[in-house]
């Protein structure tokens, strides 16, 4: 049975004098299923909101009001490195082996963790970068200046490329600081979805490749954290008044797609919450949705981690009280992508270096035959090739 592993981080002083909770632990690894338990802990960290990133082998945590990133080894359970930067870090996100950092000066820093290569953009925002979202091909940076910049990740990483130019496009419909930003799982340019939350009490659904506004959602109070369900068919929003909202995109009255009865320019008012957290928990500053989409875990300013069950829509249950403000929640990937190599260690960034050395560990059988080799070694056409050809002919539309 696969076990959901949930990482949480805390920031700030202890709320109460609780000797049962260690004061120097800043990051926890919990098991959510089949039972809730603390699996591992990492010390000497104080990561604010949007400052925690996970890989298969490491945990990255930017420190509060500092220009440092702590790197922890998940296998050994200890701190592996302390990486300094030139500016204070406000948010981070991980795109493969590249850690993307947003600074208080409005810049983006891209650190290639397997080689130490570092790329720094000019100030792309007039205020601090508040949150970052990444896909295999794009980086989206949101700021306190209410704008969202869309960057091409391959263009930023291209060797010898001058990155002094502007981002691909800017999304600028918000009128307040951006509090959270999430991307849908799709990669089709026509259906690329991202959702931004702002202090102007709205969430906007975008096609971030075209810059088109798909829908604007208005809430009674400012949304603080948002998350999409695993299939990007619904949006979960937690607001300042401790309310949790569920917005379905393709319900009885679809908000998106051809069946939507209203124009995209019409603002949708959202008034009915899915539930409200207790006052002693405080507002949620972060959330995570389980991989099966049946439950939501929220982290609150007063140290509590709550679980919301979507099957019976019951009152949230308290999973833990970490006695400090919960700032980040993230599920570790259940199934890792198959890779033929894995970097052995994390290399600290070095801007002055012009040549980089990659040390990696090869994995799996590198001499396995390709599909072309299989066709060469087969007499005639194989059954698989014939089946694929017949399927392609059947799927093709007849010409007029």
């Amino acid at each position: 049975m696969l076990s959901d592993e949930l990482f949480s981080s805390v920031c700030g002083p202890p709320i109460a004098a609780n000797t049962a909770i260690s004061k120097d632990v800043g990051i926890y690894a919990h098991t959510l299923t089949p039972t809730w338990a603390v699996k591992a802990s990492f010390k000497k960290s104080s990561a604010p909101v949007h400052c925690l990133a996970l890989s298969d082998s490491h945990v990255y945590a930017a420190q509060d009001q500092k220009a440092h990133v702590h790197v922890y080894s998940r296998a050994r359970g200890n701190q592996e490195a302390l990486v300094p930067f030139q500016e204070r870090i406000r948010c981070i996100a991980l795109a493969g082996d590249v850690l993307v950092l947003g600074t208080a000066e409005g810049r983006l820093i891209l650190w290639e963790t397997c080689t130490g290569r570092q790329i720094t953009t000019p100030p792309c925002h007039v205020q601090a970068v508040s949150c970052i979202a990444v896909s295999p091909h794009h980086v989206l940076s949101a700021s306190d200046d209410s704008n969202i910049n869309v960057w091409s990740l391959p263009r930023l990483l291209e060797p010898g490329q001058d990155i002094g130019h502007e981002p691909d496009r800017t999304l600028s419909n918000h009128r307040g600081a951006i509090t959270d930003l999430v991307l849908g799982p799709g990669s089709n340019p026509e259906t690329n979805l991202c959702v931004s939350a702002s202090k102007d009490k709205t969430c906007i659904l975008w096609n971030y490749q075209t810059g088109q506004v798909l829908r604007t959602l208005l809430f009674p109070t400012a949304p603080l954290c948002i998350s999409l369900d695993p299939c990007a068919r619904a949006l979960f929003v937690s607001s300042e008044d401790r309310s949790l909202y569920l917005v379905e995109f393709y319900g009885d009255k679809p908000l998106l797609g051809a069946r939507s009865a209203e124009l995209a320019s019409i603002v949708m008012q959202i008034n009915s919450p899915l539930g409200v957290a207790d006052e002693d928990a405080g507002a949620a500053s972060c959330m995570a949705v389980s991989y099966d989409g049946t439950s939501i875990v929220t982290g609150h300013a007063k140290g509590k981690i709550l679980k919301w069950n979507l099957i019976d829509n019951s009152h949230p249950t308290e999973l833990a009280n970490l006695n400090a403000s919960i700032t980040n929640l993230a599920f570790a990937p259940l199934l890792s992508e198959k890779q033929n190599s894995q970097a052995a260690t994390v290399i600290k960034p070095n801007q002055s270096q012009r040549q980089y050395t990659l040390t990696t560990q090869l994995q799996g059988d590198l001499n396995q035959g390709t599909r072309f080799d299989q066709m060469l070694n087969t007499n005639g056409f194989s059954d698989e090739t014939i089946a694929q050809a017949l399927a392609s002919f059947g799927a093709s539309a007849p010409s007029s």
Side-chain angles (χ1 to χ4, degrees), residues 112-131:
E112 202 171 59
T113 60
C114 57
T115 63
R117 179 176 172 228
Q118 178 180 327
I119 301 167
T120 304
T121 69
C124 51
H125 294 280
V126 296
Q127 296 186 36
V129 181
S130 57
C131 47

Side-chain angles (χ1 to χ4, degrees), residues 115-396:
T115 63
R117 179 176 172 228
Q118 178 180 327
I119 301 167
T120 304
T121 69
C124 51
H125 294 280
V126 296
Q127 296 186 36
V129 181
S130 57
C131 47
I132 295 174
V134 296
S135 73
H137 308 290
H138 292 88
V139 174
L140 275 69
S141 60
S143 171
D144 291 340
D145 64 9
S146 76
N147 292 332
I148 302 169
N149 289 339
V150 182
W151 303 79
S152 170
L153 182 59
R155 182 165 59 87
L156 289 175
L157 297 175
E158 184 177 353
Q161 179 74 13
D162 180 17
I163 58 173
H165 45 67
E166 299 294 324
D168 293 355
R169 65 185 51 85
T170 299
L171 313 179
S172 56
N173 281 44
H174 280 296
R175 295 297 177 265
I178 308 297
T179 57
D180 205 355
L181 181 68
V182 293
L183 293 184
S187 58
N188 189 327
E190 297 181 357
T191 58
N192 275 331
L193 174 68
C194 83
V195 185
S196 57
S198 171
K199 290 185 178 180
D200 61 8
K201 301 182 182 180
T202 65
C203 287
I204 298 182
L205 283 63
W206 312 79
N207 182 326
Y208 61 88
Q209 285 217 37
T210 63
Q212 179 186 3
V213 175
L214 304 177
R215 181 67 67 183
T216 301
L217 309 176
L218 179 61
F219 295 87
T221 58
L224 298 181
C225 53
I226 58 177
S227 184
L228 289 168
D229 86 320
C231 298
R233 298 180 60 88
L235 176 69
F236 302 99
V237 180
S238 181
S239 61
E240 285 181 338
D241 60 356
R242 310 188 313 277
S243 298
L244 178 67
Y245 296 88
L246 168 62
V247 182
E248 295 188 21
F249 298 155
Y250 308 100
D252 296 334
K253 295 182 179 180
L255 300 180
L256 304 177
R259 294 177 55 235
S260 177
E262 298 177 344
L263 298 176
S265 59
I266 297 178
V267 178
M268 186 74 178
Q269 181 75 43
I270 309 296
N271 291 319
S272 301
L274 184 69
V276 180
D278 294 334
E279 187 174 355
D280 60 351
S285 56
C286 53
M287 72 164 61
V289 181
S290 62
Y291 287 106
D292 57 6
T294 60
S295 59
I296 306 172
V297 184
T298 55
H300 295 258
K302 297 184 179 180
K304 292 187 177 182
I305 299 179
L306 302 182
K307 179 181 179 182
W308 308 69
N309 193 347
L310 300 178
I311 298 178
D312 55 8
N313 195 20
S314 58
H315 192 72
T317 58
E318 181 179 333
L319 295 178
N321 188 340
L322 301 183
N323 199 34
S325 177
I326 311 295
T327 52
N328 294 279
L329 291 173
F331 280 102
L334 282 178
L335 301 174
S336 303
E337 295 183 3
K338 185 178 180 181
Q339 298 179 347
N340 293 328
S341 63
Q342 182 179 1
T345 58
V346 171
I347 307 299
K348 291 186 178 182
N350 189 342
Q351 283 186 308
S352 61
Q353 191 172 350
R354 291 295 177 263
Q355 294 182 348
Y356 303 93
T357 302
L358 173 62
T359 303
T360 185
Q361 180 180 359
L362 302 179
Q363 297 177 334
D365 184 10
L366 301 182
N367 296 321
Q368 55 185 353
T370 63
R371 180 170 175 265
F372 182 72
D373 295 334
Q374 182 182 1
M375 294 177 66
L376 285 179
N377 297 325
T378 303
N379 295 327
F381 293 101
S382 64
D383 295 339
E384 180 184 0
T385 304
I386 296 175
Q388 290 180 352
L390 293 175
S392 63
F393 278 121
S396 60

